[in-house]
Amino acid sequence: MRKELKNRKQARDPSETILYNCPRGKRDSIGMDEWEFALSVTTKVASAENAPQWGSDLIADTLRTIGFRYISMTPGASFRGLHDSIVNHLRNTDPQMLTCIHEESAVALAHGYAKVTGEPMAVALHANVGLMHATMAIFNAWCDRVPMVLLGATGPMDATRRRPWVDWIHTGRDMGSLIRGYTKWDDQPCSPSAGVESLLRANQIARTAPCGPTYVCLDAGDQESELTGVPDPVELRRFQPPRPGIPSAEIAEEAARRLLDAKRPVILAGRSLRSQAAWDARVRLAESLNARVVTDLRTGACFPTVHPLNPYRPGIYIGQDAIDDIGRADVALSLDWIDLAGTLRQSGATSAHVIHFSPDQYGHNGWSFDHLGVPEVDLFSLTTSDNAVSVLNEAVQSLGMASRSEWRAEEAPPSSPPTGEDMPLSIRQFATTTSSALEEFRPTYIRLPIGWPGECCSFEGPLDYLGYDGGGGIGSGPGMAVGAALGLRGTDRLPVAIIGDGDFLMGATAIWTAVRYRVPLLVIVANNASFFNDEIHQEKVAIERGRPVENRSIGISLDGPVCDVAAIARAQGAEASGPIESASQLEGEVRKGAAHVRSGGVFVIDARVAPNYGKQVLRGLLKP
């Protein structure tokens, strides 16, 4: 063990690395990762290779067998047995615990990680109180169709084992009922061995398309019970999620013929894998069909924004030019497009032949309306968009037909650069300056604000942009940014999250987790000193009712006083700058921040922007 520690170039006397005896100066000089590693290898604990002795040891071994690299959590006594097993039985590796200040951040971190890697992270949530803290972030993950496995805990179901008071108020008979409407599956197993089966099932279901969060609630008494026997080791290869279905040859051929015969085919490119191979396959299909491609900013980058077949500027809301072309289409191919019914209704595409590939119906339930409207389709297959593209490419090639499409290749109209030094910065000036300054750093945009102009989106690969949060819950941005940056750590990408001030202020303590675990990250806060989205709505209502629009900001603005975002970031241990109020100042700080992140740090910029949105956002936001 000492040899392992020396290999990390930070050998220390064991007495200096024990948790309660490690001097603060030593901890700082070693660094958090090395210090936690030193703690794990110098404390006399059961080796992870030894047989499990306690119920929670068995659960911890299962987490490792499944392959979880991390488990994000806010500490709680209801899973103290599991906590001990991860630290002392597994030596805090595979999974490694990631401490978060708030449960929403713990779940959001797993959400961001899954958006990059496609892999679920484990999350530990303390009893009923921690679960209730986490609910909004769980709903975001549900709506965004990302996998994660949530581990809850309850006080002992055996009442004779409950401590006075606290175990009683933190014990629930059916914890899963709190989140059953927006998780794929939940369980509350009654023994450690049953817990193993529950985790294997939870992992399978979370990873099965449409992906989503699952929840397993562990009994505190079972965690702390000594095992009387150990079950046989799990062969994970026999507990893998099912492979997504593939459209039949008949469906693929019919769809391919329709698309090749179309004069104005349109592809609505929605949820997709973050792989380069899947990206290239979508481009190949669009080019074979000479089909125009519509994308948006709700999902991650899935098609080049600079491609002639994609002449539209992406946004949270679809632009009028894209809506018009969808309305003119004679065949529309939906690749797991979010809100297909709403899009078709807006465009008036009642005569188009609609082909829809999506597994999303498998996850619809009666509690939430995140399933959106029921679309009118002519050909519908419950498969993933990437599987659909694969078989369509094969069918198009085997048919040997030339596309009859009459679309002419176009490019998005050039955008005139903003002029002058707007103070505060207009959102367009802010976006143009930021994207230009980051261009040389190969950024991955983890998040973009609602008002971000589409002309500043130059996406050329699947990791250029990761998409929105799914459920529209404010406060998820910082936690998702940290999780995504963790997934990108070790790559040549620069993790960048551009978020609003309300989003940052709600979830700012997630930045502490990034600093603690050395997760490089650049956060740029578009600070308009308001929950501005609601100001637009209040103005609309005031106009409709003939009341003064000047009152729209009452109860919504954050300008008395304007929060010091940079100071809050520094309080979490990050480097920070701001307030930034001019384009020239912003450009310099963005480059400075990017360089700091390249060196392994966390940097936050407070950019003061004017409260305004572009026409495309306003139209979409206020449309009934």
Side-chain angles (χ1 to χ4, degrees):
M1 290 182 181
R2 287 301 300 269
K3 183 177 180 181
E4 290 178 288
L5 185 57
K6 287 180 180 178
N7 287 341
R8 290 199 171 207
K9 303 179 181 180
Q10 296 291 351
R12 290 291 188 273
D13 185 273
S15 65
E16 295 178 345
T17 57
I18 299 299
L19 179 61
Y20 298 107
N21 296 328
C22 182
R24 177 68 187 180
K26 295 291 185 182
R27 287 167 57 179
D28 291 342
S29 64
I30 296 174
M32 187 57 65
D33 285 348
E34 287 80 3
W35 173 62
E36 290 190 342
F37 179 83
L39 166 66
S40 66
V41 299
T42 57
T43 306
K44 294 181 179 179
V45 296
S47 167
E49 286 72 36
N50 292 341
Q53 302 175 49
W54 304 90
S56 57
D57 290 351
L58 191 60
I59 298 298
D61 282 347
T62 305
L63 294 177
R64 172 173 283 179
T65 298
I66 290 173
F68 292 115
R69 295 188 60 197
Y70 304 103
I71 178 168
S72 55
M73 42 80 78
T74 301
S78 63
F79 56 82
R80 67 185 188 183
L82 179 62
H83 191 134
D84 172 80
S85 295
I86 292 173
V87 170
N88 291 324
H89 181 59
L90 299 187
R91 306 178 194 167
N92 198 27
T93 57
D94 298 326
Q96 177 191 359
M97 290 192 300
L98 303 175
T99 308
C100 300
I101 305 298
H102 196 286
E103 283 87 358
E104 275 191 22
S105 294
V107 175
L109 197 146
H111 187 166
Y113 183 81
K115 285 174 82 73
V116 171
T117 65
E119 296 292 318
M121 183 187 288
V123 183
L125 300 170
H126 169 47
N128 47 9
V129 287
L131 179 60
M132 287 186 277
H133 265 310
T135 51
M136 190 211 75
I138 297 171
F139 180 70
N140 278 340
W142 163 262
C143 291
D144 206 23
R145 309 303 190 242
V146 298
M148 66 178 65
V149 176
L150 309 168
L151 281 83
T154 181
M157 295 308 294
D158 182 349
T160 64
R161 300 182 65 179
R162 292 179 200 149
R163 295 171 294 156
W165 181 61
V166 68
D167 269 353
W168 288 84
I169 61 174
H170 286 171
T171 298
R173 189 180 307 279
D174 186 12
M175 291 287 199
S177 63
L178 290 170
I179 54 173
R180 192 161 293 142
Y182 42 100
T183 50
K184 290 190 67 179
W185 180 79
D186 68 88
D187 194 22
Q188 194 160 317
C190 296
S191 70
S193 295
V196 172
E197 180 173 318
S198 292
L199 286 174
L200 292 171
R201 190 189 303 273
N203 178 60
Q204 280 185 334
I205 294 174
R207 293 172 183 260
T208 301
C211 298
T214 55
Y215 174 75
V216 176
C217 184
L218 304 172
D219 185 298
D222 287 342
Q223 292 178 60
E224 299 179 26
S225 295
E226 192 164 5
L227 294 173
T228 57
V230 179
D232 293 335
V234 171
E235 291 185 62
L236 187 64
R237 66 178 180 82
R238 306 189 72 179
F239 295 93
Q240 293 299 309
R243 297 178 180 180
I246 298 176
S248 66
E250 292 78 10
I251 289 177
E253 182 177 339
E254 180 183 348
R257 285 186 182 278
R258 286 279 187 177
L259 289 162
L260 287 166
D261 282 339
K263 294 182 178 181
R264 294 179 301 279
V266 167
I267 297 174
L268 302 172
R271 301 183 186 100
S272 58
L273 295 175
R274 300 264 68 78
S275 75
Q276 188 63 48
W279 174 281
D280 294 340
R282 285 188 292 276
V283 174
R284 186 165 63 253
L285 178 64
E287 291 176 345
S288 298
L289 301 173
N290 191 33
R292 289 202 171 163
V293 180
V294 180
T295 62
D296 63 21
L297 295 183
R298 292 174 299 188
T299 58
C302 60
F303 196 86
T305 57
V306 294
H307 197 288
L309 289 173
N310 183 11
Y312 319 107
R313 293 169 176 164
I316 294 293
Y317 300 99
I318 307 172
Q320 192 59 49
D321 53 350
I323 288 292
D324 291 343
D325 278 355
I326 296 169
R328 297 168 57 202
D330 51 359
V331 177
L333 170 63
S334 164
L335 297 175
D336 205 3
W337 180 259
I338 298 175
D339 195 15
L340 177 59
T343 300
L344 295 175
R345 185 172 62 249
Q346 288 180 61
S347 68
T350 56
S351 61
H353 186 90
V354 180
I355 303 168
H356 186 37
F357 291 104
S358 171
D360 205 53
Q361 193 176 96
Y362 287 126
H364 297 172
N365 61 41
W367 183 87
S368 172
F369 291 93
D370 62 278
H371 48 58
L372 307 168
V374 181
E376 297 181 51
V377 300
D378 299 284
L379 185 62
F380 185 11
S381 179
L382 289 164
T383 188
T384 64
S385 63
D386 300 289
N387 275 354
V389 169
S390 178
V391 297
L392 284 175
N393 272 324
E394 291 178 5
V396 167
Q397 184 176 8
S398 65
L399 287 172
M401 297 169 56
S403 171
R404 298 178 60 198
S405 170
E406 297 174 354
W407 290 123
R408 295 183 179 180
E410 295 183 14
E411 295 182 2
S415 174
S416 57
T419 59
E421 287 283 306
D422 298 327
M423 297 180 68
L425 291 158
S426 69
I427 189 68
R428 188 157 166 263
Q429 179 85 62
F430 166 73
T432 302
T433 303
T434 300
S435 56
S436 176
L438 289 172
E439 190 173 3
E440 66 183 270
F441 293 98
R442 201 156 187 254
T444 289
Y445 289 100
I446 298 168
R447 177 75 69 82
L448 294 172
I450 290 176
W452 190 265
E455 60 264 30
C456 293
C457 297
S458 182
F459 305 148
E460 300 178 358
L463 285 176
D464 285 356
Y465 172 64
L466 300 183
Y468 204 50
D469 62 12
I474 301 176
S476 63
M480 287 180 61
V482 176
L486 178 66
L488 292 167
R489 188 167 63 177
T491 71
D492 64 347
R493 308 295 304 221
L494 181 81
V496 181
I498 304 178
I499 59 179
D501 48 326
D503 198 16
F504 176 82
L505 293 171
M506 281 193 188
T509 56
I511 301 300
W512 177 87
T513 300
V515 175
R516 176 181 177 89
Y517 296 102
R518 296 180 179 176
V519 180
L521 172 63
L522 176 62
V523 176
I524 306 174
V525 180
N527 186 353
N528 57 20
S530 174
F531 289 107
F532 183 67
N533 196 63
D534 281 351
E535 286 198 43
I536 301 300
H537 286 287
Q538 293 310 128
E539 179 175 328
K540 176 181 174 64
V541 172
I543 292 173
E544 289 178 347
R545 297 180 177 183
R547 293 174 176 173
V549 297
E550 294 80 9
N551 294 332
R552 74 178 194 178
S553 64
I554 295 175
I556 296 174
S557 70
L558 299 172
D559 60 356
V562 177
C563 295
D564 192 337
V565 166
I568 293 171
R570 291 190 195 100
Q572 313 308 314
E575 293 292 321
S577 66
I580 306 300
E581 297 182 334
S582 70
S584 59
Q585 189 182 12
L586 176 64
E587 181 177 7
E589 290 303 313
V590 169
R591 292 182 183 278
K592 174 184 173 183
H596 182 73
V597 174
R598 279 287 188 227
S599 68
V602 179
F603 201 93
V604 177
I605 298 172
D606 178 9
R608 300 293 167 86
V609 299
N612 55 41
Y613 285 157
K615 292 181 180 179
Q616 179 172 323
V617 175
L618 290 175
R619 278 197 301 265
L621 188 64
L622 300 178
K623 188 170 293 185

